[in-house]
Amino acid sequence: EVQLVESGGGLVQPGGSLRLSCAASGFTFSSYSMNWVRQAPGKGLEWVSYISSSSSTIYYADSVKGRFTISRDNAKNSLYLQMNSLRAEDTAVYYCARDKNWNYVWYFDYWGQGTLVTVSS
Amino acid sequence: EIVLTQSPATLSLSPGERATLSCRASQSVSSYLAWYQQKPGQAPRLLIYDASNRATGIPARFSGSGSGTDFTLTISSLEPEDFAVYYCQQRSNWPAFGPGTKVDIK
């Protein structure tokens, strides 16, 4: 069974930093590209970042470029999102999401349960 | 930037009725469009990809159609568990989601 479990969310002050983790199991993690997608409270979905299976290709939404860093450790079956210079508008549930496969990048076929990040003083 | 709009914002229907949800793109996305279902407190679930392909385990009452700029998700006969928010998403360039359509019980 495919499982994605996020952790690391919490309350942080504006300008602060947080590191999210996503632990993957039930599939060959190193074969799949991964993403972070967020959802502000009561709002819609926003793609945040993409990383290829080998970490060779990385993309960010303009809203987080220069502040967030995506990474992965295939040996540990884990995905990460380092978030710096956090703003109130970064408050959201952050989901890690798997791409369907190499031929269907950016169709998200499995999602974690999400971790809430709240940026507030 | 490709913008997706969804209509209606809310659809009030009864179990057993047919639901027709629309998604329109600001420019052509070919067939690079997906549909997701999200229930309160849960992560989204992939229903349809490439406009008309059902994802693994998705019941046949869900179907997708369209290409270019106009797309439709149809639920042929609503089950109680289908009342949720539905999002379309394009992957023609950067992935982007529509604002969602809430299907609620009439």
Side-chain angles (χ1 to χ4, degrees):
Chain A
E1 179 194 4
V2 172
Q3 281 200 316
L4 298 169
V5 180
E6 301 94 337
S7 60
L11 175 63
V12 61
Q13 292 188 340
S17 298
L18 214 53
R19 189 194 195 207
L20 306 183
S21 299
C22 172
S25 60
F27 65 103
T28 305
F29 180 71
S30 59
S31 296
Y32 288 84
S33 49
M34 299 293 295
N35 301 265
W36 288 98
V37 178
R38 68 184 180 183
Q39 186 171 36
K43 302 297 184 181
L45 299 163
E46 179 189 16
W47 170 79
V48 171
S49 185
Y50 161 93
I51 187 167
S52 63
S53 57
S54 64
S55 303
S56 60
T57 302
I58 286 174
Y59 299 119
Y60 298 99
D62 286 344
S63 58
V64 306
K65 201 174 295 182
R67 300 187 298 121
F68 289 11
T69 301
I70 191 172
S71 62
R72 64 190 294 162
D73 186 334
N74 286 342
K76 294 184 178 179
N77 291 337
S78 293
L79 175 72
Y80 307 101
L81 186 68
Q82 177 67 42
M83 304 186 297
N84 298 332
S85 302
L86 282 161
R87 307 165 179 167
E89 54 265 35
D90 295 319
T91 294
V93 173
Y94 284 74
Y95 296 102
C96 65
R98 191 185 83 166
D99 280 335
K100 190 178 185 319
N101 61 42
W102 66 270
N103 201 33
Y104 291 106
V105 169
W106 290 335
Y107 287 145
F108 312 120
D109 65 343
Y110 284 95
W111 300 61
Q113 85 290 350
T115 188
L116 177 62
V117 172
T118 303
V119 184
S120 175
S121 55
Chain B
E1 178 193 359
I2 298 176
V3 177
L4 298 176
T5 56
Q6 292 186 244
S7 61
T10 303
L11 193 54
S12 297
L13 294 168
S14 301
E17 289 194 294
R18 182 184 189 90
T20 303
L21 288 67
S22 176
C23 177
R24 177 165 289 179
S26 60
Q27 63 190 80
S28 177
V29 299
S30 186
S31 294
Y32 298 134
L33 190 107
W35 290 93
Y36 298 83
Q37 176 194 67
Q38 187 178 32
K39 298 178 182 179
Q42 296 186 17
R45 177 172 71 142
L46 177 65
L47 300 175
I48 300 287
Y49 65 95
D50 275 357
S52 61
N53 296 310
R54 269 190 304 277
T56 303
I58 301 304
R61 65 181 181 273
F62 291 93
S63 63
S65 64
S67 66
T69 60
D70 289 299
F71 301 86
T72 301
L73 174 70
T74 301
I75 310 171
S76 59
S77 178
L78 282 164
E79 296 288 339
E81 62 268 27
D82 298 337
F83 292 93
V85 178
Y86 292 84
Y87 294 96
C88 58
Q89 175 240 326
Q90 63 83 16
R91 68 163 195 140
S92 180
N93 53 16
W94 304 116
F97 294 86
T101 289
K102 183 178 182 180
V103 179
D104 65 15
I105 300 176
K106 188 174 182 179

